[in-house]
Amino acid sequence: MRLQLCTWQEVESYLQRSTGIIIPIGSTEQHGPNGLIGTDAICPETVAFGVGERIGAMVAPTLSIGMAQHHMAFPGTITFRPTTLIAVVTDVVNALARHGFDSFYFLNGHGGNIATISAAFSEIYAQSSLGTAPEDRRPVRCRLANWFMGAKVKALSKELFGDSEGRHATPSEVSLSYYAYPDAVKQAQMTPKIAPVGEIRDAADYRRQFPDGRIGSDPSLASVEAGERLYRASMEDVEADYLAFTQKGA
Amino acid sequence: MRLQLCTWQEVESYLQRSTGIIIPIGSTEQHGPNGLIGTDAICPETVAFGVGERIGAMVAPTLSIGMAQHHMAFPGTITFRPTTLIAVVTDVVNALARHGFDSFYFLNGHGGNIATISAAFSEIYAQSSLGTAPEDRRPVRCRLANWFMGAKVKALSKELFGDSEGRHATPSEVSLSYYAYPDAVKQAQMTPKIAPVGEIRDAADYRRQFPDGRIGSDPSLASVEAGERLYRASMEDVEADYLAFTQKGA
Amino acid sequence: MRLQLCTWQEVESYLQRSTGIIIPIGSTEQHGPNGLIGTDAICPETVAFGVGERIGAMVAPTLSIGMAQHHMAFPGTITFRPTTLIAVVTDVVNALARHGFDSFYFLNGHGGNIATISAAFSEIYAQSSLGTAPEDRRPVRCRLANWFMGAKVKALSKELFGDSEGRHATPSEVSLSYYAYPDAVKQAQMTPKIAPVGEIRDAADYRRQFPDGRIGSDPSLASVEAGERLYRASMEDVEADYLAFTQKGA
Amino acid sequence: MRLQLCTWQEVESYLQRSTGIIIPIGSTEQHGPNGLIGTDAICPETVAFGVGERIGAMVAPTLSIGMAQHHMAFPGTITFRPTTLIAVVTDVVNALARHGFDSFYFLNGHGGNIATISAAFSEIYAQSSLGTAPEDRRPVRCRLANWFMGAKVKALSKELFGDSEGRHATPSEVSLSYYAYPDAVKQAQMTPKIAPVGEIRDAADYRRQFPDGRIGSDPSLASVEAGERLYRASMEDVEADYLAFTQKGA
Amino acid sequence: MRLQLCTWQEVESYLQRSTGIIIPIGSTEQHGPNGLIGTDAICPETVAFGVGERIGAMVAPTLSIGMAQHHMAFPGTITFRPTTLIAVVTDVVNALARHGFDSFYFLNGHGGNIATISAAFSEIYAQSSLGTAPEDRRPVRCRLANWFMGAKVKALSKELFGDSEGRHATPSEVSLSYYAYPDAVKQAQMTPKIAPVGEIRDAADYRRQFPDGRIGSDPSLASVEAGERLYRASMEDVEADYLAFTQKGA
Amino acid sequence: MRLQLCTWQEVESYLQRSTGIIIPIGSTEQHGPNGLIGTDAICPETVAFGVGERIGAMVAPTLSIGMAQHHMAFPGTITFRPTTLIAVVTDVVNALARHGFDSFYFLNGHGGNIATISAAFSEIYAQSSLGTAPEDRRPVRCRLANWFMGAKVKALSKELFGDSEGRHATPSEVSLSYYAYPDAVKQAQMTPKIAPVGEIRDAADYRRQFPDGRIGSDPSLASVEAGERLYRASMEDVEADYLAFTQKGA
């Protein structure tokens, strides 16, 4: 169930049977020579919609912009400052908690979001711990799940791409985005075949180290077919994890 | 062109010929008994994608959450605090300005966003006026256009729905969202036929005044067919307005 | 009744019979060659004091500084960033609400304030809607009234100045400020007679478009006599509107 | 010269001969049984206007609301949170600095403002010290002067009221406000004759310790005549101090 | 008792007999040619540990960084912006208040902290006064004591150093820090013997006025022996003041 | 070299040969029945001082308070909100960067800090990436190293404590704090011997899951002797890592 396609009465009914919700969260940032700028939002959204349909879980609208400061030297990247992203995540949780949701499953597509989303969770929990939560907010539980780190996905990525998977603009994520938007498949030469690796700092430093945007990957291996297999693997990862999360008593 | 479906190199090329971008912005909020919670995001997104394709304009990912505090007594509504929304809009503009974009066309689907988006524009302009803009940011121009207030749309709404149009959960916006998502069409009785009107204050007061969420409207008149006509009308409004905006020298 | 000229015991008595208050809000910004920098604060203050005296309404001290970033290229202009103005308005309402005031009538003198004040109202209402209002705050109602948009004022402006009224540094507001401070009447040539019109962006852009600060107006038509007539017209507008606002049940 | 009564061209001329400005800053808070709620704003404003006229110094509009949290248990008091007041002072200085003002003389009427205004000055100076000041802002100098602590005022207060002067709702400040607004003179019995003294904490604690709002004072001794003498004494204090401040090279 | 060296069960026991706590707060900033950068943190920490041990008072970890923007032109200085320091102090108090502490005795070592800490106290009290304190927070009392302004310390400083004491990098504070860290005693020539005095503004201005960092002092007179005497004097000052503070009913 | 024990001239000299600095960062939070509340600050401080002395690296004063919201149900815990901690880390880096430091090595003692410190680094880098860094700030590099995750420490912890190490209030960290403060060694029964494990959410939930504060550990195994071995192992880990970090060209 997509929240955006429900009426409020349908949400009211849903809350009778579940207080969990999946919130896809991504980023809008360069993904190398053949990857889509929306990759990190498209991937978790696609999986979330699939899972939501299969198990009847509510799926919130995708938070498409994340913390991508390090990609800012590549045109098209949009980033929130970490403090803005904390405000965004906090507001979303507090609004939904007002209606009775209490189990927030953030399905994330961007490694660079992890620290800031975790800090946002701490900010939300701290409101409970310090007595500053919105009036009548009952205890909330937040979980950050990265689709690309699910067990079945990782196994399949390894099988499909081995050492060419890398860390950014990976053939796995590019494949999944191609599966979601087959008309957007791109072709590009990769030079070198496998991109360099290194540490992430600011945008100028990033571009110096990783001139075409990739880290450690060869996304020319990406394909719609691989994407479909990754989609199915990720649905299994996420479905199991989400059910475990929401069925554990609050 | 959808930013999310481009590579960074395609954005780099685009910037050679245009520094304008369309940013759909909406809200996630109740829309009465048969309206979708995502209506206000779906409508401008749909029009923006249409226009973007027709005239080759870049379209940013939709900002799906807006200022909807007054709808918070209806399950499913998500709101940003105005100060959060100001941070969101400011960050988006400043990130894109870093790449050379300078003409920001926010295509808005929610009346409740207007004041806060305008305040955000003032915050952005104030950075120029006070000497606190990001280094090397050249002058930016921001425009807020509400799809539902375009001349052709307003004429068509009047023709189609007359006094049943109302102010919230209107048959026009519901129709356009149905056109975008025909599988999500809902049926509901409207009691009374036309909803009451009044002033907007906080959420409890809103629900007291407008028990099913509508203001002044009869959205049972909505249809996919009307939605398609509104879509075409809005594309004409927006296309003309966007071209006038971006072709006027900075 | 001017709050500044009351004792706290007088305020305590006032609250027995009314929980409404008028808060004049303006701006400190250039008003063209013969307009006073304080015009936008002086005008609503003058009308508020008049109405306050006539109907025994409490009038808070004038908030003299508003959102005037676009006038910053003219010496003497002072602006708050929008986020500062939101904090100011929120703090004022929350402090007064602590004493039992619940109907806040902001009488505004500056078009550039409208969006930000409206956003501030949303921030205040959002506190109720999200359960984050100060403890024991009862529901509040905020109204933004622009003295220059009252029906009687608009009719009189049209009668007095017709197409020379314009949008900024209008003969109407200059007249009203002259009526309030007849010793401060200024003389200046207007070149051109009627100033150009256009869109408002940042300060440098504003000064380029509107070199002497006026938009669309010929304030050389201003006079103390016109000011007095506008004062009386505005008092009628505001008195009726304020009574309607405060007599409507909360 | 009152900034509010100047045109921008007059400010431009003023800046040719001086880059100093007097900014009256006060508070809106209870002042005991016969003191005006606006006392702390009225007093510095009155002195500032007098000095401004006598020596041709520019006087900004009065900042009428300050940090008065401790008076919040008395109706009519308005307070900013300290962080809001810091934003207000910072914005005012940065806006005026943009035009070339560099010597900011805050004439203060409220002891409770001192710490927060000083912290605001540190925030402003820190922008220079940390390299985050607005572009092209030249070094600024801020001075906080409390009218009630000038040497001539203190001597006269002692002569006029001796031990009845006290610390809050003093006969001196009440007298000066009466001189400014003789029609607002109030009569009230003081019980006890001289109010108790003690430390200031939160509002409930304050009201418990100081039931009628006074601290250590007997303001029934206040008079318009005393107010006039204090006005003249303060003008001498402030004039000398302001000239010393602005004539010292930056 | 040092909080850092207790278990939580020991804190639980302590709260049975006392709800007071000493919080040393200092600064990390230049202290002239022979003064330690940590002087302002070391001094109150040393005294607080001594007092804490003697009377069994709980001592929180030292807040070593304060508001030192004016020293930023000297290497090694670290400063918080005032707004950051307000957040720090507020968070510390609110966290400890959650456990039942209600009497917060800040033992301060830096004059430049006074205004900002006082503003922070106002922010904390304002939460009570405005109804925005954390849930169930009982009334708190905050006291700012400057070790260098205790009566016995001031008498001893005068006796030991007379006019060479000065205002910054004083022989008294340098002596006390030497007593705490005798291995860190430094030797330096003072030129001139007694440093100049003046007003404090931003960092560049400070360095221009006070080229070696001192204000009005001759810290070459500092010694471990003097430090020990000052330590004992300060312990007496602080012990008496702390006991008076915590034994006074809330 | 401890920054607090240097003069500013010594820092100036240091900067001639190194632009790196070690910043110990910890937390003030319960550590089970026999662990010290200061454990997480004491451990990295002790190691940092050791390394600093051995290799002549500058060591900043310890940031003793971190993000510990989940421990707030145990008396004595102090926490910053994540947004406060981000401000703290950002201010510290920006102040030190002003003097020429550019390589910031945060030696951390608390797992709960990791996300928020990482978010703070992103905030700092984002200032470079977005053009909002302080004027003239050259590129900075920040590294977060957790003493308890160093290779030698992990091997030794495993050897010493095996499955009794656990996740919070571990025998390793308790041992190291005992080594630093042997007079503070505590005795306590552990029931059950090894504490339960689980996920971390808010404070009430934490206390429910982990009644005595430990997670998965048996800290009754801690000893001064083990602490000394861990101290030496950690010094080796940190020394190597710090040198690699600072010797890599910026």
Side-chain angles (χ1 to χ4, degrees):
Chain A
M1 302 181 75
R2 292 176 54 181
L3 179 63
Q4 287 201 302
L5 302 186
C6 292
T7 62
W8 66 262
Q9 293 89 343
E10 289 168 339
V11 179
E12 195 169 55
S13 299
Y14 175 85
L15 282 162
Q16 301 299 315
R17 66 175 193 275
S18 173
T19 53
I21 189 164
I22 300 173
I23 304 170
I25 184 163
S27 185
T28 296
E29 63 182 49
Q30 68 83 14
H31 272 79
N34 72 335
L36 311 184
I37 281 176
T39 302
D40 287 351
I42 290 165
C43 291
E45 178 177 280
T46 304
V47 174
F49 285 172
V51 170
E53 195 168 335
R54 199 151 71 183
I55 64 172
M58 187 65 73
V59 181
T62 303
L63 302 175
S64 302
I65 300 174
M67 210 305 297
Q69 67 81 20
H70 42 306
H71 296 294
M72 279 298 300
F74 296 91
T77 300
I78 304 178
T79 188
F80 285 145
R81 288 165 294 167
T83 43
T84 301
L85 185 54
I86 289 174
V88 162
V89 170
T90 302
D91 280 15
V92 168
V93 167
N94 278 336
L96 289 167
R98 200 91 189 132
H99 307 306
F101 289 99
D102 61 8
S103 298
F104 300 90
Y105 189 90
F106 284 79
L107 186 60
N108 179 41
H110 173 45
N113 281 348
I114 294 174
T116 302
I117 295 175
S118 300
F121 289 176
S122 297
E123 191 87 15
I124 293 163
Y125 289 138
Q127 295 177 332
S128 296
S129 303
L130 292 165
T132 59
E135 205 180 7
D136 299 326
R137 190 182 81 180
R138 53 170 146 158
V140 297
R141 298 187 310 134
C142 299
R143 180 162 168 72
L144 176 60
N146 302 291
W147 79 267
F148 51 88
M149 290 173 69
K152 288 185 199 297
V153 164
K154 288 191 78 169
L156 182 56
S157 291
K158 186 157 196 179
E159 175 197 326
L160 289 168
F161 307 117
D163 290 345
S164 301
E165 175 69 3
R167 284 175 51 203
H168 182 70
T170 68
S172 291
E173 60 185 350
V174 173
S175 294
L176 179 46
S177 73
Y178 285 178
Y179 168 68
Y181 291 92
D183 293 348
V185 171
K186 320 272 174 174
Q187 306 296 340
Q189 284 284 73
M190 298 296 152
T191 316
K193 193 86 179 102
I194 293 190
V197 296
E199 288 202 17
I200 288 171
R201 293 189 287 256
D202 67 32
D205 178 85
Y206 185 107
R207 181 128 194 192
R208 208 159 30 231
Q209 285 189 75
F210 315 111
D212 70 1
R214 296 173 295 142
I215 305 182
S217 65
D218 175 8
S220 68
L221 305 175
S223 70
V224 172
E225 296 67 33
E228 180 166 9
R229 289 183 63 190
L230 285 156
Y231 169 68
R232 299 201 183 286
S234 183
M235 284 221 292
E236 290 182 39
D237 283 333
V238 170
E239 179 178 322
D241 192 49
Y242 177 77
L243 290 174
F245 172 63
T246 52
Q247 283 160 12
K248 203 182 305 175
Chain B
M1 300 181 76
R2 291 176 54 179
L3 178 63
Q4 287 200 302
L5 302 186
C6 292
T7 62
W8 68 260
Q9 293 88 344
E10 290 168 340
V11 179
E12 197 169 55
S13 300
Y14 175 85
L15 283 161
Q16 302 299 315
R17 66 175 193 277
S18 173
T19 54
I21 189 165
I22 301 174
I23 304 169
I25 185 163
S27 185
T28 296
E29 62 181 48
Q30 68 84 16
H31 273 79
N34 72 336
L36 310 183
I37 282 176
T39 303
D40 288 351
I42 291 166
C43 291
E45 178 176 282
T46 304
V47 174
F49 285 172
V51 171
E53 196 168 333
R54 200 152 70 183
I55 65 174
M58 187 64 73
V59 181
T62 303
L63 303 175
S64 301
I65 300 175
M67 211 304 297
Q69 64 82 21
H70 43 306
H71 296 295
M72 278 298 298
F74 296 91
T77 300
I78 304 177
T79 188
F80 285 145
R81 289 166 293 166
T83 42
T84 301
L85 186 53
I86 289 173
V88 162
V89 170
T90 303
D91 280 16
V92 168
V93 167
N94 278 336
L96 290 167
R98 200 92 189 132
H99 306 306
F101 289 99
D102 62 8
S103 299
F104 300 91
Y105 189 89
F106 284 79
L107 186 60
N108 178 41
H110 174 44
N113 281 347
I114 295 173
T116 303
I117 295 174
S118 300
F121 289 176
S122 297
E123 192 86 17
I124 293 162
Y125 289 138
Q127 295 177 333
S128 297
S129 302
L130 292 164
T132 60
E135 205 179 7
D136 299 326
R137 191 182 81 180
R138 52 169 142 159
V140 296
R141 299 186 309 135
C142 299
R143 178 161 170 73
L144 176 60
N146 302 291
W147 78 267
F148 50 91
M149 291 174 67
K152 287 184 200 298
V153 164
K154 287 191 79 167
L156 182 55
S157 291
K158 186 160 196 176
E159 174 197 327
L160 288 167
F161 306 118
D163 291 346
S164 302
E165 175 69 3
R167 283 175 51 203
H168 182 69
T170 68
S172 291
E173 61 185 348
V174 173
S175 294
L176 179 46
S177 72
Y178 284 178
Y179 168 68
Y181 290 92
D183 293 346
V185 171
K186 319 273 175 173
Q187 304 297 339
Q189 283 285 73
M190 299 294 154
T191 316
K193 194 86 179 101
I194 293 191
V197 296
E199 288 202 15
I200 288 172
R201 292 190 287 257
D202 67 32
D205 177 86
Y206 186 105
R207 181 128 195 193
R208 211 163 22 237
Q209 285 189 76
F210 315 111
D212 69 1
R214 297 173 294 143
I215 305 182
S217 65
D218 175 9
S220 68
L221 304 175
S223 70
V224 171
E225 295 67 33
E228 182 167 7
R229 291 182 62 192
L230 286 156
Y231 169 68
R232 301 203 180 286
S234 183
M235 284 222 293
E236 291 182 38
D237 284 334
V238 170
E239 179 177 323
D241 192 49
Y242 177 78
L243 291 174
F245 172 65
T246 51
Q247 284 160 11
K248 203 182 307 175
Chain C
M1 301 182 75
R2 292 176 53 180
L3 178 63
Q4 287 201 302
L5 303 186
C6 291
T7 62
W8 67 261
Q9 293 89 343
E10 290 168 340
V11 179
E12 195 169 54
S13 299
Y14 175 85
L15 282 162
Q16 301 299 315
R17 66 174 193 276
S18 174
T19 54
I21 189 164
I22 301 174
I23 304 170
I25 185 164
S27 184
T28 295
E29 62 181 50
Q30 68 84 15
H31 271 79
N34 72 337
L36 311 183
I37 281 176
T39 302
D40 287 351
I42 291 166
C43 291
E45 178 176 281
T46 303
V47 173
F49 285 173
V51 171
E53 195 167 335
R54 200 152 70 183
I55 65 173
M58 186 65 73
V59 181
T62 303
L63 303 174
S64 301
I65 300 174
M67 211 305 296
Q69 65 81 20
H70 42 306
H71 297 294
M72 279 298 299
F74 296 91
T77 300
I78 304 177
T79 187
F80 285 145
R81 289 165 293 166
T83 42
T84 301
L85 186 53
I86 289 173
V88 162
V89 169
T90 303
D91 280 16
V92 168
V93 166
N94 277 336
L96 289 167
R98 200 91 188 130
H99 307 305
F101 289 99
D102 62 8
S103 298
F104 300 90
Y105 189 89
F106 284 79
L107 187 60
N108 179 41
H110 174 45
N113 281 347
I114 294 174
T116 302
I117 295 174
S118 300
F121 289 176
S122 297
E123 191 86 16
I124 292 163
Y125 288 138
Q127 295 178 332
S128 297
S129 302
L130 292 165
T132 59
E135 205 180 5
D136 297 327
R137 192 182 80 180
R138 52 169 144 157
V140 296
R141 299 188 308 136
C142 299
R143 179 161 168 73
L144 177 60
N146 303 292
W147 78 267
F148 52 89
M149 290 173 68
K152 287 184 200 300
V153 163
K154 288 192 78 169
L156 182 55
S157 291
K158 185 157 198 179
E159 174 197 327
L160 289 167
F161 306 119
D163 289 347
S164 301
E165 175 67 4
R167 283 175 52 202
H168 182 68
T170 67
S172 290
E173 61 185 349
V174 173
S175 294
L176 179 46
S177 73
Y178 284 178
Y179 168 69
Y181 290 92
D183 293 346
V185 171
K186 320 272 174 174
Q187 307 296 339
Q189 283 284 74
M190 299 295 152
T191 316
K193 193 87 178 101
I194 292 189
V197 295
E199 288 203 17
I200 288 172
R201 293 188 288 256
D202 67 31
D205 178 85
Y206 186 106
R207 181 127 194 193
R208 210 161 26 236
Q209 286 189 75
F210 315 110
D212 69 2
R214 296 174 295 143
I215 305 181
S217 65
D218 175 9
S220 68
L221 304 176
S223 70
V224 172
E225 296 67 34
E228 182 167 8
R229 289 182 64 192
L230 285 156
Y231 169 67
R232 300 203 181 286
S234 183
M235 283 222 292
E236 290 182 39
D237 283 333
V238 170
E239 180 178 322
D241 192 49
Y242 177 77
L243 291 174
F245 172 63
T246 51
Q247 283 160 12
K248 204 182 307 176
Chain D
M1 302 182 74
R2 292 175 53 179
L3 178 63
Q4 286 200 303
L5 303 186
C6 293
T7 62
W8 67 262
Q9 293 89 344
E10 289 168 339
V11 179
E12 196 169 54
S13 300
Y14 175 87
L15 282 162
Q16 301 300 313
R17 66 175 193 277
S18 172
T19 54
I21 188 165
I22 301 174
I23 304 170
I25 185 163
S27 185
T28 296
E29 62 181 48
Q30 69 83 15
H31 272 79
N34 73 335
L36 310 184
I37 282 176
T39 302
D40 288 352
I42 290 166
C43 291
E45 178 176 282
T46 303
V47 173
F49 285 173
V51 171
E53 195 167 334
R54 199 151 72 183
I55 64 173
M58 187 65 74
V59 181
T62 303
L63 303 175
S64 301
I65 299 175
M67 211 305 295
Q69 65 82 20
H70 43 306
H71 296 295
M72 279 298 298
F74 296 91
T77 299
I78 304 178
T79 187
F80 285 145
R81 289 166 292 166
T83 41
T84 301
L85 185 53
I86 289 173
V88 162
V89 170
T90 303
D91 280 16
V92 168
V93 166
N94 278 336
L96 289 167
R98 201 91 189 133
H99 307 305
F101 289 99
D102 61 8
S103 298
F104 301 91
Y105 189 89
F106 284 79
L107 186 59
N108 178 42
H110 174 45
N113 280 348
I114 294 174
T116 304
I117 295 174
S118 300
F121 289 177
S122 297
E123 192 85 17
I124 293 162
Y125 289 138
Q127 294 178 333
S128 297
S129 302
L130 292 164
T132 59
E135 204 180 8
D136 299 327
R137 190 182 80 179
R138 54 168 143 158
V140 296
R141 298 187 310 135
C142 300
R143 178 162 169 73
L144 176 60
N146 303 291
W147 78 268
F148 50 89
M149 290 173 69
K152 288 185 199 298
V153 163
K154 287 192 79 169
L156 181 56
S157 291
K158 186 158 197 178
E159 174 197 327
L160 289 169
F161 306 119
D163 289 347
S164 301
E165 175 69 3
R167 283 175 51 203
H168 182 68
T170 67
S172 291
E173 61 186 347
V174 173
S175 294
L176 179 46
S177 73
Y178 284 178
Y179 168 67
Y181 291 92
D183 293 347
V185 172
K186 318 274 175 173
Q187 305 298 338
Q189 283 285 72
M190 298 296 153
T191 314
K193 192 88 180 100
I194 293 190
V197 297
E199 288 202 16
I200 287 173
R201 293 189 288 256
D202 68 31
D205 178 86
Y206 185 105
R207 180 125 195 196
R208 210 162 26 236
Q209 287 189 75
F210 315 110
D212 70 1
R214 296 174 295 143
I215 304 182
S217 66
D218 175 9
S220 68
L221 303 176
S223 70
V224 171
E225 296 68 32
E228 181 166 8
R229 292 183 62 192
L230 286 156
Y231 169 67
R232 299 202 182 285
S234 183
M235 285 221 294
E236 291 182 38
D237 283 333
V238 170
E239 179 178 323
D241 192 50
Y242 177 77
L243 290 175
F245 172 65
T246 51
Q247 284 160 10
K248 202 182 307 178
Chain E
M1 303 180 73
R2 292 175 53 179
L3 179 62
Q4 286 200 303
L5 302 186
C6 291
T7 63
W8 68 261
Q9 293 89 343
E10 290 168 339
V11 179
E12 195 168 53
S13 299
Y14 175 85
L15 283 162
Q16 301 299 315
R17 66 175 193 276
S18 174
T19 54
I21 189 165
I22 301 175
I23 304 169
I25 184 163
S27 185
T28 295
E29 63 181 50
Q30 69 83 14
H31 271 79
N34 72 336
L36 311 182
I37 281 176
T39 301
D40 287 351
I42 290 166
C43 291
E45 179 176 281
T46 302
V47 173
F49 285 172
V51 170
E53 195 167 335
R54 200 151 72 183
I55 63 172
M58 187 65 73
V59 181
T62 302
L63 303 175
S64 300
I65 300 174
M67 210 306 296
Q69 64 81 20
H70 42 306
H71 297 294
M72 280 298 298
F74 296 91
T77 299
I78 304 177
T79 187
F80 285 145
R81 289 165 293 166
T83 42
T84 301
L85 186 53
I86 289 173
V88 163
V89 170
T90 302
D91 280 16
V92 168
V93 166
N94 278 337
L96 289 167
R98 199 92 189 129
H99 307 306
F101 289 98
D102 61 9
S103 298
F104 301 91
Y105 188 91
F106 284 78
L107 186 60
N108 178 42
H110 174 44
N113 280 348
I114 295 174
T116 303
I117 295 175
S118 300
F121 289 177
S122 297
E123 191 86 15
I124 293 163
Y125 289 138
Q127 294 177 333
S128 297
S129 303
L130 292 165
T132 59
E135 205 180 6
D136 299 327
R137 190 182 80 180
R138 54 170 144 157
V140 297
R141 299 186 310 136
C142 300
R143 179 162 168 73
L144 176 60
N146 303 292
W147 79 267
F148 51 89
M149 290 173 68
K152 288 183 201 299
V153 164
K154 288 191 78 169
L156 182 55
S157 291
K158 186 159 197 178
E159 175 197 325
L160 289 167
F161 306 118
D163 290 347
S164 301
E165 174 69 4
R167 283 175 52 202
H168 181 69
T170 67
S172 291
E173 61 185 351
V174 173
S175 294
L176 179 46
S177 72
Y178 285 178
Y179 167 68
Y181 291 92
D183 292 347
V185 171
K186 320 272 175 174
Q187 306 297 339
Q189 284 284 71
M190 299 295 152
T191 314
K193 192 87 179 100
I194 293 191
V197 296
E199 289 203 16
I200 289 172
R201 293 189 287 257
D202 68 31
D205 178 86
Y206 185 108
R207 180 127 196 194
R208 208 159 31 232
Q209 286 189 75
F210 315 111
D212 69 1
R214 297 173 295 143
I215 305 182
S217 65
D218 175 9
S220 68
L221 304 175
S223 70
V224 171
E225 297 67 35
E228 182 167 7
R229 290 182 65 190
L230 285 156
Y231 169 67
R232 299 201 183 286
S234 183
M235 284 222 293
E236 290 181 39
D237 284 333
V238 170
E239 180 178 321
D241 192 49
Y242 177 76
L243 291 174
F245 172 63
T246 52
Q247 284 160 11
K248 205 182 305 175
Chain F
M1 301 182 74
R2 292 175 54 179
L3 178 63
Q4 286 201 303
L5 303 186
C6 291
T7 62
W8 66 262
Q9 293 88 344
E10 290 168 340
V11 180
E12 197 169 54
S13 299
Y14 175 86
L15 283 162
Q16 301 300 314
R17 67 174 192 276
S18 173
T19 54
I21 188 164
I22 301 175
I23 303 170
I25 184 163
S27 185
T28 296
E29 62 182 49
Q30 69 83 14
H31 272 79
N34 72 336
L36 310 183
I37 281 177
T39 302
D40 288 352
I42 291 166
C43 291
E45 178 177 281
T46 302
V47 174
F49 285 172
V51 171
E53 196 168 334
R54 200 152 72 182
I55 64 173
M58 188 64 73
V59 181
T62 303
L63 303 175
S64 301
I65 300 174
M67 210 305 295
Q69 64 82 20
H70 42 307
H71 297 295
M72 278 299 298
F74 296 91
T77 300
I78 304 178
T79 188
F80 286 145
R81 290 166 291 167
T83 42
T84 301
L85 186 53
I86 290 172
V88 162
V89 170
T90 303
D91 280 16
V92 168
V93 167
N94 278 336
L96 289 167
R98 200 92 189 131
H99 307 306
F101 290 99
D102 62 8
S103 298
F104 300 91
Y105 189 88
F106 284 79
L107 186 60
N108 179 40
H110 174 46
N113 280 348
I114 295 173
T116 303
I117 295 175
S118 301
F121 289 176
S122 298
E123 191 86 17
I124 293 162
Y125 289 137
Q127 295 177 333
S128 296
S129 303
L130 292 165
T132 60
E135 204 180 7
D136 298 328
R137 191 182 81 179
R138 53 170 143 157
V140 296
R141 299 187 308 135
C142 299
R143 179 161 168 72
L144 177 60
N146 303 291
W147 78 267
F148 51 90
M149 291 174 68
K152 288 184 200 297
V153 163
K154 288 191 78 169
L156 182 56
S157 291
K158 186 158 196 178
E159 174 196 328
L160 289 169
F161 306 118
D163 289 347
S164 301
E165 174 70 3
R167 284 175 50 203
H168 182 69
T170 67
S172 290
E173 61 186 348
V174 173
S175 295
L176 179 46
S177 72
Y178 285 177
Y179 168 69
Y181 291 92
D183 293 347
V185 172
K186 319 272 174 174
Q187 305 296 338
Q189 284 284 74
M190 299 295 153
T191 316
K193 193 88 180 100
I194 293 190
V197 296
E199 289 204 15
I200 288 172
R201 294 190 285 256
D202 67 32
D205 179 84
Y206 186 105
R207 180 128 194 193
R208 210 161 26 235
Q209 286 190 76
F210 316 111
D212 69 1
R214 296 174 295 143
I215 304 182
S217 65
D218 175 10
S220 67
L221 304 175
S223 70
V224 171
E225 296 66 35
E228 182 166 8
R229 291 182 63 191
L230 286 156
Y231 169 67
R232 299 201 182 287
S234 184
M235 285 222 292
E236 291 182 37
D237 283 334
V238 170
E239 180 177 322
D241 193 49
Y242 177 77
L243 291 174
F245 172 64
T246 52
Q247 284 160 11
K248 204 182 306 176

